[in-house]
Amino acid sequence: MPTQSKSFTGCWTCRLRHKKCDETTPTCSACGALEISCLYDKTKPDWMDGGQRQQGAAERVKIEIKRAATRRRGRKRESSQGLLNASPPFEKSSGVGIPTPESSVSLNTPSALSTSQDLDVASLSLSQDERELSLIMSYLDYVFPVLFPFYRPSILEGSRSWMLVLIMKNRGIYHTIISLTSFFFSVVPMIQSSDYKMCESMNSEELQKQADLAIKTVLHDSLELSSQTEQPLRESADLMGNVVQLLSFEIIIAPTQNWMMHLDAAIVLFEQIFGSYGMEASSPSLPKILAQLSDAPSMDLGPNITLWTANQAAFRFFSTILLVNDIISSTSLEQAPRLHKYHKFLLTDDRSPGDIPLQLEDFVGHENWVLLLIGEISSLDVWKKEQKKAGALSMMQLVQKASEIEQRLRNGLTHLDNPDHSSRLASKPGNPLAFFLPASPDITHSLTKIWAYAAHIYLHTVVSGWQPANPEIRDNVANLIISFQSLPSPALLRTLVWPFCVAGCLANAQQESTFRDLVMSMGSLQMFGTVRLALRIMEDVWRRRGSVELDDWDIAACLRCVGHRVLLV
């Protein structure tokens, strides 16, 4: 009987296990069959020392083999139970525009799922082993604060406990978050050694596995929801949150134009929810939806403090992120924000009795008015191009509309400099546990100014075309550079990618190195998000300097110069 010989040229995992390797890349057959990490590297890992470190690595691989075997047994056992019966074939046209596996090519998901039996979520092993739970806690402790550093609800508001509740009850969110956390640790190394190579390989495999499960779960939930005559509010809200989370995942993992599909689906769900559950006297009502998402009335604990249930907090959060993404995407898609009709009801700065508006300060760090004005500038850009195409553009009308927006921008900046103006964070009651928590500076005013300076630049390009030497544009670019350099941490730049890109595209040759240095100052965090994509756009615009048509080139042209339209959030 032939015996297996150890591999001298195969993957390091087979060499560590003294097994024969067929050297298939990126995963050899032996590692693939066992569902364990397959490590290829030209450099011999430090732990292959023939001693204690190699023995420790071998023990870790044995543990990984056991866990994979447990998962396989779980899948086989649950599959044999037949928890879900086969349903009619899944039609892409049914339900909302949830992304199909074949269209999310960046996730490398299966190319065809013909029936809902293929989407049998109950047959997917949801074994909460130590690794998965560790990744979930890492998301809550590290990844979520990196993604949303300004979202810091106090303990009186329920803190971020709703996220843990959502993760444990919503399988789509569960898998997406594990995948996103795996990606985070594969591009943001916690250690710098050859051991990191194996960690990176393990995280990459976890990312792919969990991404597949997340897509299947969303498809399954979409099919289940669309098959019902009346779509329940809580299930619809959960699915919307799922899709918004997938949107963030797609933007971070693979910045292609697949994000548009997720955004379309989320907007459809958002409008369906408001149309069925959130209309009051023909107007959208957030309080009405929130009331139906809780079995008890909301508890107002003081000014700007409301104790939300997990369902309420989740809907507020994902609705806010969707509204922000819709406005920022409109600058790239050259269309008015599709949720514009909801702005005056959900993003108002007024807080009349019974009204509970969404305050962007609480979620993304800047005040409402500046993002609303960016949405209006985007709408003005669309109006101008439509009028120009029809041969009916009135420059006087264009200037008048732009002047009104510019005056509101100036009024907003003046209001920020008013000594009596305070942020919502400053007006909230003190946290009794503040001593035990890391202090975060209140930079709402600075962040709002950054977006306002970028909005000024955007407005000027809409009205006057591409004029980088315009004194007002040069002043705003200079102000933005100073503001970026004054941030408490370079890592916050990943939350300001759109204004960063707008400023960089109109920077002069002498300022180019400053924008490159700002990206480099982020360290490995520059790989997590769209900052590198923004720098790539700037570099392309800088190469075109002097050759672009000044009347036709604009911010939207910049945001598609990489071959597809981008969403810089």
Side-chain angles (χ1 to χ4, degrees), residues 300-368:
D300 286 321
L301 306 178
N304 299 329
I305 296 289
T306 303
L307 180 59
W308 305 107
T309 67
N311 286 327
Q312 290 173 324
F315 188 76
R316 293 180 80 249
F317 179 83
F318 289 120
S319 294
T320 302
I321 301 307
L322 179 59
L323 287 162
V324 171
N325 287 347
D326 177 49
I327 291 174
I328 299 303
S329 69
S330 71
T331 67
S332 174
L333 297 173
E334 298 177 90
Q335 63 183 26
R338 283 173 283 178
L339 300 177
H340 179 268
K341 66 181 179 182
Y342 298 92
H343 290 177
K344 66 179 180 179
F345 300 102
L346 306 187
L347 296 176
T348 174
D349 287 322
D350 299 327
R351 190 178 174 86
S352 55
D355 184 28
I356 310 175
L358 299 170
Q359 297 291 345
L360 297 183
E361 287 179 62
D362 297 339
F363 300 91
V364 292
H366 58 75
E367 297 182 6
N368 287 9

Side-chain angles (χ1 to χ4, degrees), residues 171-277:
R171 295 190 178 197
I173 296 282
Y174 179 96
H175 295 307
T176 304
I177 280 174
I178 293 177
S179 187
L180 190 57
T181 307
S182 299
F183 177 74
F184 178 82
F185 287 113
S186 70
V187 298
V188 183
M190 298 295 108
I191 54 173
Q192 295 289 349
S193 72
S194 58
D195 287 336
Y196 173 68
K197 290 291 185 181
M198 176 168 280
C199 178
E200 182 181 28
S201 176
M202 292 172 65
N203 281 322
S204 296
E205 291 189 8
E206 191 70 23
L207 183 157
Q208 184 60 62
K209 179 184 75 175
Q210 298 293 340
D212 290 348
L213 292 173
I215 289 290
K216 285 184 177 181
T217 302
V218 173
L219 286 166
H220 175 272
D221 291 349
S222 174
L223 178 61
E224 287 288 303
L225 193 63
S226 62
S227 66
Q228 300 180 41
T229 306
E230 288 190 11
Q231 299 173 347
L233 172 58
R234 295 189 183 186
E235 285 80 354
S236 299
D238 283 348
L239 182 58
M240 189 194 81
N242 232 330
V243 178
V244 173
Q245 188 74 28
L246 271 179
L247 171 61
S248 298
F249 177 82
E250 184 76 41
I251 294 167
I252 292 170
I253 300 292
T256 66
Q257 62 183 7
N258 285 339
W259 61 266
M260 289 189 272
M261 170 179 55
H262 301 288
L263 181 63
D264 290 345
I267 287 175
V268 168
L269 281 165
F270 181 90
E271 293 193 303
Q272 285 178 352
I273 289 171
F274 270 91
S276 299
Y277 299 98

Side-chain angles (χ1 to χ4, degrees), residues 25 60 109 116 233 251 273 343 370:
T25 57
R60 290 195 295 272
T109 51
S116 64
L233 172 58
I251 294 167
I273 289 171
H343 290 177
V370 69

